[in-house]
Amino acid sequence: MRVYLLVMLLAAALTYLLVPVVLRVALATGAITQIRSRDVHTIPVARLGGVAMLLGFVAALLIASQIPYLSAIFNSGSGVWGIVIGASAMCLLGVIDDIWELNWYTKLAGEILAAGLMAWQGVQLVTLPLLGLTVGSTRLTLFTTIIAVVVVANAVNFVDGLDGLAAGVVGIAAFAFFIYSYYLTRGVSPGDYTSAATMATAACVGICIGFLPHNFHPARIFMGDSGALMLGTLVAGVSILVTGQIDPATAKTPAAIPAFMPLLIPLLILVIPLVDLIWAVLRRVRQGRSPFSADAGHLHHRLLRHGHSHTAAVLVLYMWTAAASFSAVAAVIFPHLGLIPIILLIIAGCVFVTWRQMLTPSTQVEQ
């Protein structure tokens, strides 16, 4: 565990130090978010923060590859470099969009290409650890992987609408997934706790921690699509790696709950971005618009319209992410019926806090 925490700390420190450098580049290249009708910020803010996050992630992995305990997992079949390549391609697409603002279909084509590149590098949903199912063909494997990566990447991108929101939500979710992946590794390979997925997830948590001080309200820099799409790709990639640790044959009995939880854990951990994504797509299609067209109907916009301060809206969404993420992980680590009342109590508490916030307009004025 300590070596993974070291990777997390390295990623956080490197990202924190790289953000000011990237900020200067963003200002020099004109990668600045102007004021639009759907935005909540009142002054132009530089973006491209995702570049600093990607550089922090890659640098942390390069250092980790020199640690004897972790060096063995940096082989051609571990999937680590496949995630790096896919995330880098997605980040590059986001940089282009941050500077020149691509139309939605060009952007979608780029996302499919980046996801396909990661799948081509071996990060694929080959097995589905539920009732012993396997993806039947190479084409189907590629298709399901691309769909999963594109959906998660856009879910994170859709939720990136307030200062610190996407970085915090993904950081919380990734930390819960880190705990789950480490627990699963201990169970699958007793005596050998090295795991590509656990290490990559630790680095993902780290870059979110390192970026947040620069991005929390009032933000000095946005992560932009270069960061949101890249983070979504990282989360999707490590989720796919975790499913690869499971033998589908172990999932033939109801008692083998941890064996099929890799399918459910990412969904529960990313419940806020995924709900926002599904809601947005249905809303826009019902209105006869493209599902990729922008609007001000996201969850965070609705919280703001009910009188919440910027920070309060972000913290409410943090709360729901933590509740869903850690409840899901706790259900795997402590599979006991006595946990159900605790989870229900947590949900009730979240509902109470959210409802109270909705009924009590904030009097705080944030600049």
Side-chain angles (χ1 to χ4, degrees):
M1 174 65 79
R2 285 178 295 180
V3 70
Y4 294 125
L5 294 178
L6 175 61
V7 173
M8 190 184 299
L9 180 61
L10 283 171
L14 290 167
T15 302
Y16 180 81
L17 295 174
L18 284 167
V19 169
V21 178
V22 173
L23 176 57
R24 294 183 181 180
V25 175
L27 294 174
T29 58
I32 299 175
T33 303
Q34 301 299 329
I35 309 302
R36 299 165 296 187
S37 59
R38 68 178 187 273
D39 292 330
V40 298
H41 61 281
T42 57
I43 59 174
V45 180
R47 38 193 175 185
L48 294 185
V51 175
M53 301 175 81
L54 177 65
L55 292 175
F57 181 82
V58 174
L61 292 192
L62 289 174
I63 295 173
S65 68
Q66 303 305 308
I67 300 175
Y69 181 77
L70 297 175
S71 59
I73 66 178
F74 285 88
N75 57 63
S76 58
S78 69
V80 174
W81 299 121
I83 290 180
V84 170
I85 291 172
S88 299
M90 200 70 84
C91 184
L92 176 60
L93 172 67
V95 169
I96 295 172
D97 185 57
D98 285 340
I99 297 176
W100 291 291
E101 295 193 7
L102 302 173
N103 54 53
W104 71 266
Y105 46 87
T106 302
K107 188 174 173 182
L108 179 60
E111 292 172 5
I112 293 173
L113 180 61
L117 186 60
M118 187 168 74
W120 179 61
Q121 291 296 315
V123 183
Q124 300 180 11
L125 279 168
V126 178
T127 63
L128 299 179
L130 177 61
L131 303 178
L133 298 178
T134 59
V135 179
S137 68
T138 302
R139 290 183 179 179
L140 187 57
T141 294
L142 187 64
F143 176 77
T144 54
T145 300
I146 290 174
I147 292 297
V149 173
V150 170
V151 167
V152 174
N154 278 285
V156 175
N157 195 28
F158 275 34
V159 84
D160 181 29
L162 297 180
D163 296 354
L165 181 56
V169 165
V170 173
I172 293 169
F175 188 73
F177 200 84
F178 165 74
I179 295 173
Y180 170 71
S181 180
Y182 183 74
Y183 166 80
L184 193 62
T185 300
R186 290 173 62 99
V188 172
S189 56
D192 180 12
Y193 302 156
T194 57
S195 163
T198 306
M199 183 193 59
T201 307
C204 184
V205 175
I207 63 176
C208 291
I209 294 173
F211 185 67
L212 264 177
H214 301 282
N215 184 238
F216 202 77
H217 188 75
R220 287 182 288 168
I221 186 172
F222 293 157
M223 68 170 63
D225 282 8
S226 60
L229 293 176
M230 183 270 298
L231 278 181
T233 303
L234 289 181
V235 173
V238 297
S239 300
I240 291 170
L241 286 187
V242 167
T243 63
Q245 297 179 14
I246 301 301
D247 179 4
T250 64
K252 293 183 178 179
T253 65
I257 294 177
F260 63 81
M261 285 305 285
L263 294 176
L264 304 180
I265 289 289
L267 298 179
L268 294 173
I269 283 176
L270 291 172
V271 63
I272 295 300
L274 290 174
V275 166
D276 199 25
L277 171 66
I278 295 170
W279 189 356
V281 169
L282 293 177
R283 179 178 67 248
R284 293 164 186 172
V285 170
R286 187 173 63 248
Q287 295 172 351
R289 300 163 53 205
S290 164
F292 295 95
S293 61
D295 62 18
H298 293 287
L299 294 174
H300 50 271
H301 290 124
R302 293 174 181 271
L303 288 171
L304 290 175
R305 283 198 292 271
H306 278 83
H308 304 319
S309 68
H310 195 121
T311 301
V314 169
L315 293 179
V316 165
L317 294 175
Y318 282 5
M319 175 187 67
W320 277 104
T321 301
S325 301
F326 290 101
S327 294
V329 172
V332 175
I333 299 177
F334 309 105
H336 192 277
L337 292 178
L339 187 64
I340 296 178
I342 298 176
I343 293 176
L344 292 177
L345 184 62
I346 292 172
I347 294 174
C350 291
V351 170
F352 173 76
V353 172
T354 304
W355 187 254
R356 183 177 180 182
Q357 287 285 325
M358 298 282 273
L359 294 179
T360 309
S362 172
T363 57
Q364 177 183 2
V365 178
E366 294 181 332
Q367 300 298 326

